[in-house]
Amino acid sequence: MNRRDCLALLGMITAWPASSPAQQPATQRRLGVLSVTSADDVIGQTRLAEALTALGWKEQDNLRVDWRSGAGDRVRLGQLADDLIALKPDVLLALGTPSVEELRQRTTTIPIVFAVVTDPVSQGFVQNLAHPGGNITGFTDYDGPLAGKWLEMLTQVTPRVSRVFVVYNPATAPFAPLMLRTLEDAARTLHVTVEPAPVHDVASLAALASHRDGGFLVLPDFFTMANRAHLLAAIVESHLPSVFWSRAFVDEGGLMSYSTDSAEQLRRAASYVDRILKGALPADLPVQNPIKLELAINLTTAKAIGVTLPPGLLAIANEVIE
C-alpha cells in the first residue's frame, strides 16, 4: 500500500462515527427505594427487579436502583431518606407508611410512588384516591372492611374468642387509631372486646406471652414484620389464636392471615414507576386499593394450640399449611 492509499484509509477511519446510534447506551434513569423493613423481606429487591424488567427497565442498563432499608428502625429510616434525596432520583418508591412520611417531609417535587400503605387520604398523603394531587400516588394495602374481616375470623375459632388484643407499634403504624375505630365498630356487632396492645421494642413483644384468655390481631406494621420472630415466639408461648396482616407470619407459624398479595402490590407499583419515568405526573395517577386478597391458614399451629377452625373458612382459604 502506497502513501496515498494509507492517507485515504486514515481519512475513511476518521470519518466513521465512534458507534452507531443503536450501539449507544440508553440514558440511565434513577429510582430510589425506601423500605421500612429489610431489602430481602416479603417485598424485596428481586421482586422489584423482575417487575421493572418486565416493563423494559433493566438495572445497570437503563435504570439504576438505590435501595435503602430501615429494618424497622424509624430513626434510621429518616437518615436513609436523606441519603436518597441527596442522590436526586427521577422517582422514589416508598414501601410502608413511615417511608412515605419521611420522604414527603423532604421533597414536594420528586415523584413518590407508594405501596403497602394504609388509608393515605386520612394520613394526608393525597387529597383523594381519584385525584391525589401533588407528587405522591400509589397503592394501598387496606380498605375499611378488611379490619372487620380480621376480627370476624378470630370469632370463628373454637373455643370462642371474646377478647382481642390489637398489636401495633405507634411509631411505625400511625394509622392505628383509624383502624382501631373500625375494629371497635365491628366488635360491637361481633360481641367481642377489643384491647389495644402497643409494642415498642423486643421486650414489649416478649411481654405479649403473658396474655391469656383471648386472641391477637396484628395490624399492618413493618415493625412487627421486621421483628416477627420475637412476636411469633411470644404468641406461641401464650397459646392464643392470632390473625395477621401478611402471609409471611403464617408461613413461619402464625395461625392465619387475610392480606394483600405483596408480589402483586410491587408489580402494580412498578407500573406507576414506569409511567412516571415515561412522563406521567403522580397527580394524574389515581391511588388504587387492593384487587387481590389471600387467606392463609396454618393447621399445624391450630393443632398445637388446641383450636378448631370452621370447615367453611378452610374451604375458602388460598393456602392451608398442614
Side-chain angles (χ1 to χ4, degrees):
M1 183 180 291
N2 59 35
R3 183 172 181 275
R4 179 179 297 176
D5 292 335
C6 287
L7 291 172
L9 180 59
L10 287 171
M12 292 173 62
I13 293 173
T14 304
W16 287 343
S19 62
S20 66
Q23 295 172 316
Q24 292 285 355
T27 301
Q28 191 178 69
R29 311 297 295 279
R30 196 159 197 163
L31 167 65
V33 184
L34 185 62
S35 175
V36 183
T37 189
S38 60
D40 58 352
D41 222 335
V42 186
I43 296 180
Q45 288 174 299
T46 300
R47 286 180 173 177
L48 177 62
E50 291 172 350
L52 290 169
T53 298
L55 295 166
W57 297 100
K58 298 180 180 180
E59 290 192 65
Q60 310 308 323
D61 183 5
N62 59 354
L63 182 69
R64 173 166 180 170
V65 180
D66 299 293
W67 190 293
R68 301 289 185 272
S69 307
D73 185 332
R74 185 60 187 264
V75 174
R76 175 64 176 155
L77 199 67
Q79 297 168 346
L80 296 173
D82 287 330
D83 291 344
L84 284 177
I85 296 298
L87 295 175
K88 299 181 180 179
D90 297 288
V91 60
L92 291 159
L93 175 59
L95 303 179
T97 291
S99 295
V100 184
E101 288 189 329
E102 296 296 341
L103 291 174
R104 72 191 289 257
Q105 292 174 13
R106 291 163 171 80
T107 181
T108 58
T109 56
I110 301 175
I112 299 172
V113 176
F114 61 73
V116 200
V117 165
T118 299
D119 201 348
V121 176
S122 294
Q123 295 194 81
F125 298 159
V126 298
Q127 294 176 9
N128 58 64
L129 300 185
H131 304 286
N135 64 318
I136 303 175
T137 188
F139 299 85
T140 73
D141 67 342
Y142 161 80
D143 57 17
L146 189 54
K149 180 65 177 178
W150 291 327
L151 198 60
E152 181 184 353
M153 288 166 60
L154 277 177
T155 65
Q156 295 180 53
V157 172
T158 303
R160 178 174 168 77
V161 173
S162 59
R163 181 169 57 167
V164 176
F165 304 106
V166 183
V167 181
Y168 62 96
N169 183 336
T172 52
F175 48 81
L178 303 172
M179 299 185 78
L180 281 167
R181 285 197 290 271
T182 300
L183 287 169
E184 288 164 355
D185 289 342
R188 285 189 284 272
T189 301
L190 296 168
H191 306 291
V192 296
T193 300
V194 169
E195 294 186 19
V199 291
H200 308 274
D201 50 27
V202 171
S204 57
L205 288 171
L208 295 174
S210 64
H211 286 69
R212 295 291 184 269
D213 185 28
F216 290 104
L217 191 162
V218 180
L219 293 183
D221 180 358
F222 278 87
F223 171 83
T224 55
M225 177 61 74
N227 295 279
R228 63 186 180 277
H230 298 287
L231 173 60
L232 288 168
I235 291 177
V236 167
E237 186 176 344
S238 75
H239 267 68
L240 297 183
S242 52
V243 62
F244 299 88
W245 64 276
S246 171
R247 176 178 166 173
F249 293 92
V250 178
D251 289 338
E252 298 178 20
L255 179 61
M256 53 187 172
S257 65
Y258 188 54
S259 62
T260 56
D261 181 334
S262 58
E264 179 67 16
Q265 278 258 314
L266 201 57
R267 283 193 293 270
R268 298 176 77 197
S271 72
Y272 269 17
V273 170
D274 171 60
R275 292 176 66 177
I276 290 170
L277 288 173
K278 293 176 179 175
L281 298 175
D284 298 330
L285 300 175
V287 174
Q288 299 186 38
N289 283 327
I291 58 174
K292 184 178 180 181
L293 296 168
E294 57 182 11
L295 170 62
I297 296 174
N298 193 320
L299 277 184
T300 301
T301 299
K303 293 173 184 176
I305 64 176
V307 301
T308 303
L309 300 173
L313 193 62
L314 293 171
I316 62 173
N318 300 89
E319 180 74 17
V320 177
I321 299 172
E322 299 187 69

